[in-house]
């Protein structure tokens, strides 16, 4: 009987040791690195594998201090592009805004969260982000290539009836190379984008190419 009880105690201890030897991941993830091979001797401080959950990725960047008041964590939308998939624009959201501004760059750290359900994006990729501060729809826009700036303000040349007419404009938001026009232009008016600095108000011109956006 004594031998049986001793054997049962040994068995119980072995089962406990075996259960503790089975490590369960705390999250649903995938293995990105393995640090040991089958049969290696390991101890309690040895890392076995590295797991990552990449169904949602975070993008880190810096934002100028003048724009920080407009960022709302959980609400401010962000467009993200990567070198790996340059044709795709990924939609993300501002998740966290840093509490300090770097005195050298005058920027604060911002963390963006981007859904990655198909797991195409990989941790460590380089990304460019465009933070959407404001959105406007059905507005008049003008390319930067049509603008002329001087001490008097900003103006463009309108092509109308074979002549160039100078028109002052008031600009709003900027996206890529296009500015929102708050005042000065109407939908459908043609602006001069090439040779604009070589013409004068009222000068006769010929439209050789018309492009619309």
């Amino acid at each position: 009987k004594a031998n049986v009880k001793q054997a049962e105690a040994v068995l119980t201890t072995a089962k406990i040791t075996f259960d503790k030897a089975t490590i369960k991941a705390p999250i649903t993830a995938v293995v990105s690195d393995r640090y040991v091979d089958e049969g290696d001797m390991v101890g309690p401080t040895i890392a076995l594998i590295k797991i990552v959950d990449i169904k949602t990725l975070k993008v880190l960047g810096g934002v100028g201090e003048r724009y920080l008041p407009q960022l709302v964590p959980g609400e401010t939308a962000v467009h993200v592009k990567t070198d790996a998939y340059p044709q795709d624009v990924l939609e993300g959201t501002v998740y966290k805004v840093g509490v300090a501004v770097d005195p050298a760059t005058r920027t604060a750290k911002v963390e963006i969260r981007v859904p990655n359900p198909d797991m195409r994006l990989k941790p460590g990729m380089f990304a460019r982000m465009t933070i959407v501060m404001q959105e406007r729809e059905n507005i008049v826009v003008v390319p930067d290539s049509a603008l002329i700036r001087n001490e008097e303000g900003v103006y463009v040349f309108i092509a109308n009836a074979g002549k160039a007419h100078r028109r002052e404009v008031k600009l709003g938001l900027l996206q890529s190379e296009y500015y929102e026009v708050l005042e000065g232009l109407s939908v459908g008016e043609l602006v001069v984008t090439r040779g604009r600095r070589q013409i004068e108000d009222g000068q006769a011109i010929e439209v050789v190419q018309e492009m619309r956006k």
Side-chain angles (χ1 to χ4, degrees):
K1 290 183 179 180
N3 291 338
V4 171
K5 289 184 179 181
Q6 183 178 3
E8 290 176 345
V10 172
L11 178 61
T12 300
T13 302
K15 288 181 177 180
I16 294 175
T17 302
F18 178 78
D19 291 338
K20 289 184 177 181
T22 303
I23 301 175
K24 295 183 179 180
I27 60 174
T28 300
V30 295
V31 176
S32 64
D33 287 294
R34 188 177 68 176
Y35 305 118
V36 296
D37 294 321
E38 184 177 354
D40 289 348
M41 296 293 295
V42 298
T45 61
I46 301 299
L48 304 180
I49 60 174
K50 177 181 179 181
I51 61 174
V52 293
D53 180 6
I54 60 174
K55 291 183 178 179
T56 299
L57 292 183
K58 64 180 181 180
V59 181
L60 302 178
V63 174
E65 61 180 325
R66 60 179 293 191
Y67 300 111
L68 295 178
Q70 302 180 52
L71 301 183
V72 181
E75 296 184 13
T76 303
V78 182
H79 302 319
V80 179
K81 297 191 70 174
T82 63
D83 290 345
Y85 304 101
Q87 72 281 3
D88 297 334
V89 178
L90 310 172
E91 304 299 329
T93 307
V94 171
Y95 179 76
K96 185 186 302 182
V97 180
V99 297
V101 174
D102 187 328
T105 63
R106 310 310 305 172
T107 62
K109 293 181 179 180
V110 176
E111 180 180 322
I112 312 299
R113 293 292 176 94
V114 181
N116 187 35
D118 53 6
M119 295 189 288
R120 288 191 305 164
L121 301 181
K122 310 300 180 186
M125 282 184 171
F126 182 79
R128 298 175 179 84
M129 60 183 184
T130 302
I131 299 178
V132 182
M133 299 296 188
Q134 299 181 44
E135 287 186 304
R136 306 273 177 82
E137 295 182 356
N138 301 319
I139 62 173
V140 178
V141 296
V142 64
D144 182 69
S145 58
L147 301 176
I148 300 176
R149 299 175 174 86
N150 57 23
E151 62 279 359
E152 300 176 358
V154 183
Y155 62 94
V156 298
F157 279 105
I158 302 298
N160 185 21
K163 292 185 177 182
H165 302 277
R166 174 171 164 166
R167 184 83 60 80
E168 293 185 1
V169 294
K170 181 178 180 182
L171 306 178
L173 301 179
L174 167 65
Q175 180 175 354
S176 186
E177 75 275 18
Y178 286 90
Y179 281 89
E180 174 191 14
V181 179
L182 300 177
E183 297 178 6
L185 287 178
S186 300
V187 175
E189 290 186 304
L190 297 180
V191 295
V192 178
T193 59
R194 294 184 180 180
R196 66 191 186 284
R197 299 186 182 278
Q198 286 74 47
I199 59 179
E200 297 180 356
D201 189 25
Q203 180 179 336
I205 61 173
E206 180 182 354
V207 179
V208 296
Q209 185 179 14
E210 181 177 329
M211 299 180 65
R212 295 181 180 270
K213 180 177 176 63

